Amino acid sequence: MKKLTMKKGSECMACLACVSACSEAFYKEFDPDKACIRIEEKKGAVKPAMCIQCGKCARTCEQGAIKQNAKGTYMIDKKLCTGCGKCVEACPFGVMVMPAEAKNPSKCIACGICAKACPMGILEVVES
């Protein structure tokens, strides 16, 4: 399965370069609410929240619009998606987004744009 992860033992400096790269890739603008990666603080540590490809969104989709590709990454078929937003509500990490002006939600597709943008090099796309 292809997915985005944080390298073990690495520290995030909360620069938002990954967030910016993601929102710009999907929506051509920097808006943290439109990124499929979030920076959160938990117990004094800053960490990225990201899609772990758990499939909860796919199991929630009544239209069958979210399916795994050959590499195990969940993808949204925009032709089948009705834009109901149930998948966004179901995401346990809050990293599926659906801006008001969008017809369909967006989710991490493990493209690696955020990993390339990270100046600390803490993100990586791995096959598991």
Side-chain angles (χ1 to χ4, degrees):
M1 173 185 303
K2 184 177 162 186
K3 66 181 180 178
L4 180 68
T5 63
M6 183 172 155
K7 293 177 183 174
K8 296 226 187 281
S10 56
E11 291 184 34
C12 175
M13 63 181 199
C15 69
L16 301 181
C18 60
V19 174
S20 176
C22 182
S23 71
E24 288 178 19
F26 276 108
Y27 296 99
K28 309 297 183 229
E29 67 177 307
F30 173 57
D31 182 342
D33 293 332
K34 294 180 179 180
C36 299
I37 185 168
R38 305 235 186 264
I39 304 301
E40 299 178 341
E41 184 180 342
K42 288 186 180 177
K43 298 179 184 174
V46 178
K47 295 189 175 197
M50 58 196 115
C51 179
I52 63 166
Q53 305 299 331
C54 70
K56 191 165 188 179
C57 56
R59 290 188 299 277
T60 303
C61 181
E62 295 171 1
Q63 305 302 317
I66 304 174
K67 301 174 185 139
Q68 278 184 302
N69 66 12
K71 297 201 177 215
T73 304
Y74 285 92
M75 309 283 286
I76 300 169
D77 183 337
K78 293 185 181 195
K79 291 177 185 170
L80 295 176
C81 178
T82 62
C84 72
K86 288 181 182 175
C87 57
V88 175
E89 294 170 13
C91 179
F93 302 100
V95 292
M96 280 193 77
V97 297
M98 189 159 159
E101 71 277 8
K103 293 179 182 173
N104 307 106
S106 300
K107 68 169 296 304
C108 178
I109 57 172
C111 67
I113 287 173
C114 58
K116 290 177 186 138
C118 178
M120 301 297 289
I122 68 165
L123 300 171
E124 63 185 342
V125 176
V126 298
E127 294 273 348
S128 59

